[in-house]
Amino acid sequence: MKSQSASSRGATASPGRSERGGAWGAPGAPHAGKVGMGCLIAAEASLFAVFVVAYLYDIGKSLGGPSPGQVLDVPVLGTICLLSSSVTVALAVRALGRGAVGRAGAWLLATVLLGVVFLAGTAAEWSRLITRAGLTIGTNLFGTTFYALVGLHASHVIVGLIMLALLAVFAWSRALRPAHAERVELVSWYWHFVDAVWVVVLTVVYVIGR
Amino acid sequence: MSVRAPTIAAPDGATVRTGVLARAHEWVVTVDHKRLGVMYVVAGLAFFLIAGLEAGVIRWQLAVAGNTVVSPQVFNRLFTVHGTTMIFLVGIPIVFGFANYLVPLMIGARDLAFPRLNAFGFWAFLFGGCLLYFSFLAGDGLYGAGSAPDVGWFAYAPLTGRAFSPGNSTDYWNLSILVMGFGTVATSINLITTTLTMRCRGMTLGRMPLYVWMMLVVAGMAVLAMPPLSAAQIMLLLDRFLGAHFFDTQAGGSAVMWQHFFWFFGHPEVYILMVPGFAMVSEIIPVFSRKVIFGYPMIVAASLAIGFLAMTVWAHHMFAVGMGAPLNSAFAASTMLIAIPTGIKIFNWVATMYGGRIRFATPMLFACAFLFQFLCAGLTGIILSVVPFNWQLTDSYFVVAHFHFVLVGALIFTVFGAIYYWFPKATGRLLSERLGRWHFWLFAVGFNLTFLPMHWLGMLGMPRRIYTYPAERGWDLWNLVATLGVPLQAAAIAVFLVNIATALRRGKPAGDDPWDAWTLEWTTTSPPPPYNFATAPVVESRRPLWDLKHPDDPDGPHE
Amino acid sequence: MFAPVSTPAFAIRELSILVFAIVIAIFVVVAALTVYAIVRYRRRPGDDGREPPQVYGSAQIELAWTVVPFLIVIVLFLTTARYIFAIEGRAPTPGALEVTIVGHQWWWEIRYPGLGVVTANELHVPVSDPARPTPTFLTLQSADVIHSFWIPQLAGKTDVIPGKTNRSWIDPRTPGVYVGQCAEFCGLQHAGMLLRAIVHPKEEFDRWVAAQRTMAADVPAAHAGRDVFTSLACINCHAVRGTPANGVFGPDLTHLMSRDTLGAGVAPNTRENLRAWVRDPAALKPGALMPAMQVSDEQLDGLVAYLVTLR
């Protein structure tokens, strides 16, 4: 083991936050934030997978009550908005990386608005299902698995929107700087994950299940 | 050429604050991995004492047929909370507490990647633990039937549904573990990130200590296996509070689905508990045999194989459920397969000792007992994987014996060994070898006295989780023998606590490297300064200190 | 399980011998090597403190000790699979005796659909001659939570799960009484859910069936007690064929006195125990779902006098 002065590598930086890979570790190591967010996404994927499996297993097993084919309409507008919001958030990250904080803020705002439209669509759908179709989480197995899966996804959309809205506010107040580009990118990864989960939910609930 | 950090006697004078409140405040707000690691282990040991008391009462009740020490209501709560505590409030915090403490030191880093997230993980665990135990005090709950959970630590549906468990006892089980689960995932993410991004110069993945490799596998399993438990618990919450029907068999829901989801978590969970034990002995056995670990690459490969295979064996807990011959066979196959990477590790450890100069300090005593007891545990596991035989043995005391051999005979023994090994590093003082021997022998005899007979009781037909049994079955003698092991184990723990208390006060100073060991944590002071290393280490092999002590024969060319 | 009387249990014991042989052999070899290493390579007092030769590994040795266990696993798996399919694959021949067993908290409902017999907690079956087997096939269900049907001398256990129907089979070759109990935690009195299997020679079994099929005995001296019975809530939970009582939540009492035990095995079926049970079931089985009926002593005497006539 050789002795080595640490001064060449900014040893006072807090762990994982240096420009050149890990602050303390070997250069070229992946960045801590990316690994951390990657792991979080893996954990969330595992969580969603179980709800998806439950949904698939319970297809057709309701003892009564409304069935998917009877009451579900594919949420086209919401889906288009949500998937477009992945594009807008990617544009926001790129803008921030180029130093255009104002433009990044605008794209972030667009992302939030698209996400809100998606949520509004979900809310409208649920309202219609509850009041007019008589489908609640306790009605039958379809209701149970539907509201649980779509609700779990919606809760993740809400968390994502809160983060993105905060970022938009920070962009507007100029607290956000190009140096934060990587952290904003991590938030965008989360958002892309939420969108990917929606593709799975869409397929399972509105295509396979119906 | 010295690479030792200049000795740092104490932190900067300006930051030293005396007074109990000031010191307590330091611990409460800390984000230092070493302090959090100590807090995890101390809290885990405290819960170990409580759960041990619960076990003592259980054994007292079962010592003779028809005993009336406790009512069935109390008994069912005792074994439920005993199991839940040992797994979630003792096993998990202790193994993650050790990882917290050791991983940064072993890879030459100054802390974990996300120190505040680390603190969050600890407090989430502690809050969850307090929530579980609050259930004892919380009284009757909404429907007058509350108090502590009494549905078994794996809480099968539909027993846990509103219909069969009114009141809030099951909700305490559900919510406390849900909260703790988030903490565990957070800490696992932290460990993975730290290991992948913060190793010191020269430490490629192939030069990491085996402890770090195995904790990486453990953290990976936790990230993938804990969320399914959370998912199942969310479903149970929806069933119990919003009238959902996931596990409501009267509405078409599936009781078996709970089991699949639970054991998909539950099986990796027991590897999450056991692999850290392997990790600890993989550090201890080489040092006390004075030999490098035999077959490092193979052990790494085996650990990765275990991590992967652990996700494929879960339904071997469900052989009596009626899954059908093809599924039963498939899970028998995967279970037998995982025995291979698990078992050959024993050969690696024995081969390390072979040809060595073994020193039987207390850590090594515990490691040796581990070898025999883990061998026994693994073999009873193989017995249980033989499905038709499993149909007799599952849900009987044979299984109780098996998993106590794994979790106590293997895991707790290695934890004790690890405490004796690393306590000097953390505190700067050595534990007493004499008291350590008393601790070891009392515990080894007591443990085997309690759990060996249970194999036989299971084969005689005694099922699990019964608060009493009829005298005609012929189970009295071995139950009594099992109970006689309890005072021995209790005495062992008492000796252990005395050892810790006296060592903290008047233990011999340990110095940086009391065991003549070879990994990075022994290159810094005991206890390490808050920043761990004054200069960033640079390594050229798996045993940096060996290279320093043997410049004529460094490890590098041999690896 | 080491005194089997029925084919599945015999098969399991046979399999267990092979498994034990393998496992004990592995234990002896590995433990011996470990003991040898500990004893032979311990540090001696005169040791000069030099480090022993460092051995980093050996590809051949490690390959060998991976391949050999792998071969053992293959042998073990193939044997296991054969037994799994043999036991699970046994299908009922037409005319074979069928029994439906329904687990309740905390007793066993036992019905013979083809014979019109309903009883509780005791499984009566005819003995099976190995030369010309007459196995009994069990349909296993649950009325509430998960239980597990386990009589070790007859077969391995099979869970009874609400919403799912499981199947099992036994063919006991020796008459006698074989005991077991519920083996999946099912709540408060999981410990008090015992099982008895009574294996009869063929004629004796036919006589038992015939006796069980009759309506409840009608003993004039017990009419007063019967009137107490039918006037109380007893009839909401219990059935006594031939009377208005046709409840299904509790055991069928038509031939109560033909059974050996009360409360699913918690007490022998004697007049004193019966009286104690009816007065307050929780005294014999704390937490039993049958409430204390709050009857006067006189009513209790009448009830018991009636119940003991139900042979």
PDB file of all heavy atoms in Angstrom, chain A residues 1-2 4 11 15 24-26 30 32 43 46-47 137-138 141 144 148, chain B residues 108-110 193 197-199 224 227-228 242-243 245-246 252 538 540:
ATOM      1  N   MET A   1       0.846  -1.189   0.000  1.00  0.00           N
ATOM      2  CA  MET A   1       0.000   0.000   0.000  1.00  0.00           C
ATOM      3  C   MET A   1       0.878   1.234   0.000  1.00  0.00           C
ATOM      4  O   MET A   1       1.785   1.351   0.799  1.00  0.00           O
ATOM      5  CB  MET A   1      -0.877  -0.028   1.260  1.00  0.00           C
ATOM      6  CG  MET A   1      -1.796   1.126   1.367  1.00  0.00           C
ATOM      7  SD  MET A   1      -2.968   0.870   2.687  1.00  0.00           S
ATOM      8  CE  MET A   1      -2.335   1.982   3.903  1.00  0.00           C
ATOM      9  N   LYS A   2       0.648   2.126  -0.940  1.00  0.00           N
ATOM     10  CA  LYS A   2       1.500   3.310  -1.004  1.00  0.00           C
ATOM     11  C   LYS A   2       0.836   4.452  -0.268  1.00  0.00           C
ATOM     12  O   LYS A   2      -0.372   4.541  -0.214  1.00  0.00           O
ATOM     13  CB  LYS A   2       1.693   3.721  -2.468  1.00  0.00           C
ATOM     14  CG  LYS A   2       2.298   2.600  -3.326  1.00  0.00           C
ATOM     15  CD  LYS A   2       2.994   3.202  -4.531  1.00  0.00           C
ATOM     16  CE  LYS A   2       2.018   3.865  -5.483  1.00  0.00           C
ATOM     17  NZ  LYS A   2       1.383   2.901  -6.372  1.00  0.00           N
ATOM     18  N   GLN A   4      -0.211   8.301  -0.132  1.00  0.00           N
ATOM     19  CA  GLN A   4      -0.593   9.188  -1.229  1.00  0.00           C
ATOM     20  C   GLN A   4      -1.229  10.413  -0.638  1.00  0.00           C
ATOM     21  O   GLN A   4      -2.126  10.315   0.176  1.00  0.00           O
ATOM     22  CB  GLN A   4      -1.598   8.460  -2.123  1.00  0.00           C
ATOM     23  CG  GLN A   4      -2.296   9.313  -3.124  1.00  0.00           C
ATOM     24  CD  GLN A   4      -1.686   9.181  -4.512  1.00  0.00           C
ATOM     25  OE1 GLN A   4      -0.871   8.307  -4.748  1.00  0.00           O
ATOM     26  NE2 GLN A   4      -2.082  10.047  -5.411  1.00  0.00           N
ATOM     27  N   ALA A  11      -9.808  16.392  -1.174  1.00  0.00           N
ATOM     28  CA  ALA A  11     -10.295  15.472  -0.144  1.00  0.00           C
ATOM     29  C   ALA A  11     -11.287  16.105   0.799  1.00  0.00           C
ATOM     30  O   ALA A  11     -11.901  15.439   1.584  1.00  0.00           O
ATOM     31  CB  ALA A  11      -9.105  14.939   0.654  1.00  0.00           C
ATOM     32  N   PRO A  15     -18.621  13.253   0.610  1.00  0.00           N
ATOM     33  CA  PRO A  15     -18.559  12.026  -0.190  1.00  0.00           C
ATOM     34  C   PRO A  15     -19.439  12.088  -1.419  1.00  0.00           C
ATOM     35  O   PRO A  15     -20.584  12.511  -1.357  1.00  0.00           O
ATOM     36  CB  PRO A  15     -19.065  10.949   0.767  1.00  0.00           C
ATOM     37  CG  PRO A  15     -18.884  11.521   2.112  1.00  0.00           C
ATOM     38  CD  PRO A  15     -18.970  13.011   1.980  1.00  0.00           C
ATOM     39  N   TRP A  24     -13.593  10.727  -3.227  1.00  0.00           N
ATOM     40  CA  TRP A  24     -12.555  10.106  -2.418  1.00  0.00           C
ATOM     41  C   TRP A  24     -11.990   8.885  -3.115  1.00  0.00           C
ATOM     42  O   TRP A  24     -10.909   8.449  -2.839  1.00  0.00           O
ATOM     43  CB  TRP A  24     -13.214   9.696  -1.086  1.00  0.00           C
ATOM     44  CG  TRP A  24     -12.299   9.253  -0.017  1.00  0.00           C
ATOM     45  CD1 TRP A  24     -12.178   7.986   0.437  1.00  0.00           C
ATOM     46  CD2 TRP A  24     -11.412  10.048   0.770  1.00  0.00           C
ATOM     47  NE1 TRP A  24     -11.275   7.941   1.465  1.00  0.00           N
ATOM     48  CE2 TRP A  24     -10.785   9.187   1.690  1.00  0.00           C
ATOM     49  CE3 TRP A  24     -11.087  11.409   0.778  1.00  0.00           C
ATOM     50  CZ2 TRP A  24      -9.853   9.645   2.623  1.00  0.00           C
ATOM     51  CZ3 TRP A  24     -10.155  11.836   1.701  1.00  0.00           C
ATOM     52  CH2 TRP A  24      -9.545  10.974   2.610  1.00  0.00           C
ATOM     53  N   GLY A  25     -12.797   8.359  -4.004  1.00  0.00           N
ATOM     54  CA  GLY A  25     -12.445   7.067  -4.572  1.00  0.00           C
ATOM     55  C   GLY A  25     -11.738   7.200  -5.904  1.00  0.00           C
ATOM     56  O   GLY A  25     -11.324   8.274  -6.317  1.00  0.00           O
ATOM     57  N   ALA A  26     -11.608   6.084  -6.544  1.00  0.00           N
ATOM     58  CA  ALA A  26     -10.874   6.035  -7.806  1.00  0.00           C
ATOM     59  C   ALA A  26     -11.557   6.900  -8.852  1.00  0.00           C
ATOM     60  O   ALA A  26     -12.778   6.928  -8.918  1.00  0.00           O
ATOM     61  CB  ALA A  26     -10.782   4.595  -8.286  1.00  0.00           C
ATOM     62  N   PRO A  30     -18.543   5.586 -11.087  1.00  0.00           N
ATOM     63  CA  PRO A  30     -19.849   6.186 -11.397  1.00  0.00           C
ATOM     64  C   PRO A  30     -20.268   7.139 -10.288  1.00  0.00           C
ATOM     65  O   PRO A  30     -19.792   7.044  -9.170  1.00  0.00           O
ATOM     66  CB  PRO A  30     -20.786   4.978 -11.463  1.00  0.00           C
ATOM     67  CG  PRO A  30     -20.075   3.878 -10.779  1.00  0.00           C
ATOM     68  CD  PRO A  30     -18.619   4.136 -10.930  1.00  0.00           C
ATOM     69  N   ALA A  32     -22.345   8.935  -7.420  1.00  0.00           N
ATOM     70  CA  ALA A  32     -23.152   8.363  -6.346  1.00  0.00           C
ATOM     71  C   ALA A  32     -24.637   8.578  -6.590  1.00  0.00           C
ATOM     72  O   ALA A  32     -25.452   7.689  -6.381  1.00  0.00           O
ATOM     73  CB  ALA A  32     -22.745   8.962  -5.008  1.00  0.00           C
ATOM     74  N   ALA A  43     -35.880  -0.685  -6.643  1.00  0.00           N
ATOM     75  CA  ALA A  43     -36.766  -1.023  -5.524  1.00  0.00           C
ATOM     76  C   ALA A  43     -38.220  -0.724  -5.879  1.00  0.00           C
ATOM     77  O   ALA A  43     -39.125  -1.514  -5.618  1.00  0.00           O
ATOM     78  CB  ALA A  43     -36.355  -0.247  -4.273  1.00  0.00           C
ATOM     79  N   SER A  46     -39.643  -3.250  -8.194  1.00  0.00           N
ATOM     80  CA  SER A  46     -40.027  -4.450  -7.475  1.00  0.00           C
ATOM     81  C   SER A  46     -41.383  -4.266  -6.805  1.00  0.00           C
ATOM     82  O   SER A  46     -42.234  -5.159  -6.804  1.00  0.00           O
ATOM     83  CB  SER A  46     -38.939  -4.767  -6.443  1.00  0.00           C
ATOM     84  OG  SER A  46     -39.230  -5.943  -5.749  1.00  0.00           O
ATOM     85  N   LEU A  47     -41.610  -3.088  -6.224  1.00  0.00           N
ATOM     86  CA  LEU A  47     -42.891  -2.799  -5.575  1.00  0.00           C
ATOM     87  C   LEU A  47     -44.030  -2.873  -6.572  1.00  0.00           C
ATOM     88  O   LEU A  47     -45.039  -3.549  -6.346  1.00  0.00           O
ATOM     89  CB  LEU A  47     -42.833  -1.410  -4.932  1.00  0.00           C
ATOM     90  CG  LEU A  47     -44.040  -0.989  -4.118  1.00  0.00           C
ATOM     91  CD1 LEU A  47     -44.059  -1.710  -2.794  1.00  0.00           C
ATOM     92  CD2 LEU A  47     -44.034   0.512  -3.885  1.00  0.00           C
ATOM     93  N   ILE A 137     -63.193   0.346  -4.342  1.00  0.00           N
ATOM     94  CA  ILE A 137     -62.139  -0.627  -4.070  1.00  0.00           C
ATOM     95  C   ILE A 137     -62.713  -1.860  -3.383  1.00  0.00           C
ATOM     96  O   ILE A 137     -62.144  -2.945  -3.451  1.00  0.00           O
ATOM     97  CB  ILE A 137     -61.016   0.019  -3.220  1.00  0.00           C
ATOM     98  CG1 ILE A 137     -59.741  -0.825  -3.282  1.00  0.00           C
ATOM     99  CG2 ILE A 137     -61.470   0.196  -1.771  1.00  0.00           C
ATOM    100  CD1 ILE A 137     -58.546  -0.147  -2.642  1.00  0.00           C
ATOM    101  N   GLY A 138     -63.872  -1.711  -2.769  1.00  0.00           N
ATOM    102  CA  GLY A 138     -64.452  -2.837  -2.059  1.00  0.00           C
ATOM    103  C   GLY A 138     -65.530  -3.566  -2.829  1.00  0.00           C
ATOM    104  O   GLY A 138     -66.121  -4.517  -2.333  1.00  0.00           O
ATOM    105  N   LEU A 141     -63.052  -7.914  -6.846  1.00  0.00           N
ATOM    106  CA  LEU A 141     -61.601  -8.044  -7.031  1.00  0.00           C
ATOM    107  C   LEU A 141     -61.088  -7.071  -8.080  1.00  0.00           C
ATOM    108  O   LEU A 141     -59.983  -6.544  -7.946  1.00  0.00           O
ATOM    109  CB  LEU A 141     -61.241  -9.472  -7.449  1.00  0.00           C
ATOM    110  CG  LEU A 141     -61.005 -10.461  -6.316  1.00  0.00           C
ATOM    111  CD1 LEU A 141     -60.604 -11.805  -6.875  1.00  0.00           C
ATOM    112  CD2 LEU A 141     -59.929  -9.948  -5.391  1.00  0.00           C
ATOM    113  N   THR A 144     -60.725  -3.782  -6.415  1.00  0.00           N
ATOM    114  CA  THR A 144     -59.584  -3.812  -5.496  1.00  0.00           C
ATOM    115  C   THR A 144     -58.271  -3.645  -6.246  1.00  0.00           C
ATOM    116  O   THR A 144     -57.462  -2.766  -5.936  1.00  0.00           O
ATOM    117  CB  THR A 144     -59.577  -5.153  -4.736  1.00  0.00           C
ATOM    118  OG1 THR A 144     -60.677  -5.174  -3.835  1.00  0.00           O
ATOM    119  CG2 THR A 144     -58.294  -5.348  -3.975  1.00  0.00           C
ATOM    120  N   ALA A 148     -55.948  -0.124  -6.537  1.00  0.00           N
ATOM    121  CA  ALA A 148     -54.643  -0.240  -5.878  1.00  0.00           C
ATOM    122  C   ALA A 148     -53.523   0.061  -6.861  1.00  0.00           C
ATOM    123  O   ALA A 148     -52.621   0.851  -6.563  1.00  0.00           O
ATOM    124  CB  ALA A 148     -54.474  -1.633  -5.283  1.00  0.00           C
TER     125      ALA A 148
ATOM    126  N   GLY B 108     -11.668   2.243   2.571  1.00  0.00           N
ATOM    127  CA  GLY B 108     -10.871   3.462   2.612  1.00  0.00           C
ATOM    128  C   GLY B 108     -11.662   4.716   2.337  1.00  0.00           C
ATOM    129  O   GLY B 108     -11.109   5.700   1.827  1.00  0.00           O
ATOM    130  N   ALA B 109     -12.945   4.713   2.674  1.00  0.00           N
ATOM    131  CA  ALA B 109     -13.785   5.897   2.460  1.00  0.00           C
ATOM    132  C   ALA B 109     -13.997   6.618   3.785  1.00  0.00           C
ATOM    133  O   ALA B 109     -13.664   6.098   4.845  1.00  0.00           O
ATOM    134  CB  ALA B 109     -15.124   5.482   1.866  1.00  0.00           C
ATOM    135  N   ARG B 110     -14.553   7.813   3.728  1.00  0.00           N
ATOM    136  CA  ARG B 110     -14.696   8.558   4.982  1.00  0.00           C
ATOM    137  C   ARG B 110     -16.103   8.493   5.555  1.00  0.00           C
ATOM    138  O   ARG B 110     -16.318   8.891   6.687  1.00  0.00           O
ATOM    139  CB  ARG B 110     -14.247   9.993   4.821  1.00  0.00           C
ATOM    140  CG  ARG B 110     -15.169  10.807   3.984  1.00  0.00           C
ATOM    141  CD  ARG B 110     -14.710  12.203   3.740  1.00  0.00           C
ATOM    142  NE  ARG B 110     -13.585  12.614   4.537  1.00  0.00           N
ATOM    143  CZ  ARG B 110     -12.915  13.728   4.316  1.00  0.00           C
ATOM    144  NH1 ARG B 110     -13.270  14.503   3.309  1.00  0.00           N
ATOM    145  NH2 ARG B 110     -11.911  14.072   5.066  1.00  0.00           N
ATOM    146  N   THR B 193     -24.390   2.138  -3.193  1.00  0.00           N
ATOM    147  CA  THR B 193     -23.776   3.320  -3.795  1.00  0.00           C
ATOM    148  C   THR B 193     -22.367   3.525  -3.257  1.00  0.00           C
ATOM    149  O   THR B 193     -21.430   3.792  -4.011  1.00  0.00           O
ATOM    150  CB  THR B 193     -24.634   4.558  -3.501  1.00  0.00           C
ATOM    151  OG1 THR B 193     -25.969   4.293  -3.898  1.00  0.00           O
ATOM    152  CG2 THR B 193     -24.101   5.763  -4.258  1.00  0.00           C
ATOM    153  N   THR B 197     -19.022   3.391  -5.662  1.00  0.00           N
ATOM    154  CA  THR B 197     -18.479   4.689  -6.070  1.00  0.00           C
ATOM    155  C   THR B 197     -17.382   5.249  -5.176  1.00  0.00           C
ATOM    156  O   THR B 197     -16.755   6.222  -5.536  1.00  0.00           O
ATOM    157  CB  THR B 197     -19.587   5.756  -6.129  1.00  0.00           C
ATOM    158  OG1 THR B 197     -20.070   6.010  -4.801  1.00  0.00           O
ATOM    159  CG2 THR B 197     -20.730   5.314  -7.005  1.00  0.00           C
ATOM    160  N   MET B 198     -17.145   4.650  -4.011  1.00  0.00           N
ATOM    161  CA  MET B 198     -16.256   5.328  -3.079  1.00  0.00           C
ATOM    162  C   MET B 198     -15.070   4.496  -2.621  1.00  0.00           C
ATOM    163  O   MET B 198     -14.488   4.777  -1.581  1.00  0.00           O
ATOM    164  CB  MET B 198     -17.051   5.794  -1.854  1.00  0.00           C
ATOM    165  CG  MET B 198     -18.025   6.887  -2.204  1.00  0.00           C
ATOM    166  SD  MET B 198     -19.087   7.308  -0.838  1.00  0.00           S
ATOM    167  CE  MET B 198     -17.898   7.982   0.292  1.00  0.00           C
ATOM    168  N   ARG B 199     -14.729   3.486  -3.386  1.00  0.00           N
ATOM    169  CA  ARG B 199     -13.564   2.697  -2.978  1.00  0.00           C
ATOM    170  C   ARG B 199     -12.288   3.512  -3.213  1.00  0.00           C
ATOM    171  O   ARG B 199     -12.198   4.307  -4.147  1.00  0.00           O
ATOM    172  CB  ARG B 199     -13.493   1.395  -3.776  1.00  0.00           C
ATOM    173  CG  ARG B 199     -14.680   0.472  -3.539  1.00  0.00           C
ATOM    174  CD  ARG B 199     -14.473  -0.857  -4.189  1.00  0.00           C
ATOM    175  NE  ARG B 199     -14.113  -0.734  -5.585  1.00  0.00           N
ATOM    176  CZ  ARG B 199     -14.981  -0.541  -6.554  1.00  0.00           C
ATOM    177  NH1 ARG B 199     -16.256  -0.434  -6.293  1.00  0.00           N
ATOM    178  NH2 ARG B 199     -14.555  -0.447  -7.801  1.00  0.00           N
ATOM    179  N   LEU B 224     -34.295  -5.521  -3.780  1.00  0.00           N
ATOM    180  CA  LEU B 224     -35.290  -6.200  -4.602  1.00  0.00           C
ATOM    181  C   LEU B 224     -36.319  -6.962  -3.782  1.00  0.00           C
ATOM    182  O   LEU B 224     -37.436  -7.183  -4.247  1.00  0.00           O
ATOM    183  CB  LEU B 224     -34.583  -7.166  -5.558  1.00  0.00           C
ATOM    184  CG  LEU B 224     -33.741  -6.489  -6.629  1.00  0.00           C
ATOM    185  CD1 LEU B 224     -33.019  -7.522  -7.468  1.00  0.00           C
ATOM    186  CD2 LEU B 224     -34.619  -5.617  -7.524  1.00  0.00           C
ATOM    187  N   PRO B 227     -39.308  -4.517  -1.060  1.00  0.00           N
ATOM    188  CA  PRO B 227     -40.536  -3.924  -1.598  1.00  0.00           C
ATOM    189  C   PRO B 227     -41.694  -4.903  -1.757  1.00  0.00           C
ATOM    190  O   PRO B 227     -42.843  -4.502  -1.504  1.00  0.00           O
ATOM    191  CB  PRO B 227     -40.074  -3.327  -2.930  1.00  0.00           C
ATOM    192  CG  PRO B 227     -38.637  -3.010  -2.705  1.00  0.00           C
ATOM    193  CD  PRO B 227     -38.124  -4.114  -1.854  1.00  0.00           C
ATOM    194  N   PRO B 228     -41.483  -6.161  -2.161  1.00  0.00           N
ATOM    195  CA  PRO B 228     -42.640  -7.059  -2.213  1.00  0.00           C
ATOM    196  C   PRO B 228     -43.333  -7.216  -0.867  1.00  0.00           C
ATOM    197  O   PRO B 228     -44.555  -7.349  -0.807  1.00  0.00           O
ATOM    198  CB  PRO B 228     -42.033  -8.381  -2.680  1.00  0.00           C
ATOM    199  CG  PRO B 228     -40.872  -7.981  -3.500  1.00  0.00           C
ATOM    200  CD  PRO B 228     -40.306  -6.777  -2.820  1.00  0.00           C
ATOM    201  N   LEU B 242     -59.917  -0.255   3.919  1.00  0.00           N
ATOM    202  CA  LEU B 242     -60.782   0.268   2.866  1.00  0.00           C
ATOM    203  C   LEU B 242     -61.670  -0.802   2.267  1.00  0.00           C
ATOM    204  O   LEU B 242     -62.297  -0.573   1.239  1.00  0.00           O
ATOM    205  CB  LEU B 242     -59.926   0.905   1.762  1.00  0.00           C
ATOM    206  CG  LEU B 242     -59.187   2.181   2.160  1.00  0.00           C
ATOM    207  CD1 LEU B 242     -58.443   2.758   0.967  1.00  0.00           C
ATOM    208  CD2 LEU B 242     -60.164   3.224   2.714  1.00  0.00           C
ATOM    209  N   GLY B 243     -61.689  -1.963   2.896  1.00  0.00           N
ATOM    210  CA  GLY B 243     -62.598  -2.992   2.408  1.00  0.00           C
ATOM    211  C   GLY B 243     -62.183  -3.634   1.106  1.00  0.00           C
ATOM    212  O   GLY B 243     -63.020  -4.182   0.394  1.00  0.00           O
ATOM    213  N   HIS B 245     -60.235  -6.544  -1.265  1.00  0.00           N
ATOM    214  CA  HIS B 245     -60.421  -7.994  -1.188  1.00  0.00           C
ATOM    215  C   HIS B 245     -59.220  -8.787  -1.635  1.00  0.00           C
ATOM    216  O   HIS B 245     -59.352  -9.936  -2.047  1.00  0.00           O
ATOM    217  CB  HIS B 245     -61.615  -8.397  -2.061  1.00  0.00           C
ATOM    218  CG  HIS B 245     -62.877  -7.693  -1.692  1.00  0.00           C
ATOM    219  ND1 HIS B 245     -63.538  -7.906  -0.502  1.00  0.00           N
ATOM    220  CD2 HIS B 245     -63.586  -6.749  -2.355  1.00  0.00           C
ATOM    221  CE1 HIS B 245     -64.600  -7.125  -0.452  1.00  0.00           C
ATOM    222  NE2 HIS B 245     -64.662  -6.418  -1.557  1.00  0.00           N
ATOM    223  N   PHE B 246     -58.006  -8.193  -1.537  1.00  0.00           N
ATOM    224  CA  PHE B 246     -56.845  -8.933  -2.023  1.00  0.00           C
ATOM    225  C   PHE B 246     -56.786 -10.325  -1.434  1.00  0.00           C
ATOM    226  O   PHE B 246     -56.535 -11.297  -2.122  1.00  0.00           O
ATOM    227  CB  PHE B 246     -55.553  -8.188  -1.662  1.00  0.00           C
ATOM    228  CG  PHE B 246     -55.250  -7.029  -2.560  1.00  0.00           C
ATOM    229  CD1 PHE B 246     -55.507  -5.732  -2.152  1.00  0.00           C
ATOM    230  CD2 PHE B 246     -54.700  -7.239  -3.813  1.00  0.00           C
ATOM    231  CE1 PHE B 246     -55.216  -4.669  -2.984  1.00  0.00           C
ATOM    232  CE2 PHE B 246     -54.409  -6.180  -4.652  1.00  0.00           C
ATOM    233  CZ  PHE B 246     -54.669  -4.894  -4.238  1.00  0.00           C
ATOM    234  N   GLY B 252     -63.402 -13.988  -3.393  1.00  0.00           N
ATOM    235  CA  GLY B 252     -62.586 -14.461  -4.501  1.00  0.00           C
ATOM    236  C   GLY B 252     -61.116 -14.141  -4.351  1.00  0.00           C
ATOM    237  O   GLY B 252     -60.306 -14.519  -5.199  1.00  0.00           O
ATOM    238  N   VAL B 538      -4.161   3.944  -0.547  1.00  0.00           N
ATOM    239  CA  VAL B 538      -4.039   3.397  -1.898  1.00  0.00           C
ATOM    240  C   VAL B 538      -3.617   1.948  -1.720  1.00  0.00           C
ATOM    241  O   VAL B 538      -2.682   1.660  -0.981  1.00  0.00           O
ATOM    242  CB  VAL B 538      -2.983   4.152  -2.724  1.00  0.00           C
ATOM    243  CG1 VAL B 538      -2.877   3.534  -4.108  1.00  0.00           C
ATOM    244  CG2 VAL B 538      -3.343   5.626  -2.832  1.00  0.00           C
ATOM    245  N   GLU B 540      -2.823  -2.153  -3.209  1.00  0.00           N
ATOM    246  CA  GLU B 540      -2.320  -2.891  -4.362  1.00  0.00           C
ATOM    247  C   GLU B 540      -2.675  -4.357  -4.298  1.00  0.00           C
ATOM    248  O   GLU B 540      -2.235  -5.138  -5.132  1.00  0.00           O
ATOM    249  CB  GLU B 540      -0.798  -2.748  -4.441  1.00  0.00           C
ATOM    250  CG  GLU B 540      -0.373  -1.386  -4.914  1.00  0.00           C
ATOM    251  CD  GLU B 540       1.119  -1.204  -4.802  1.00  0.00           C
ATOM    252  OE1 GLU B 540       1.767  -2.061  -4.168  1.00  0.00           O
ATOM    253  OE2 GLU B 540       1.627  -0.221  -5.338  1.00  0.00           O
TER     254      GLU B 540
END
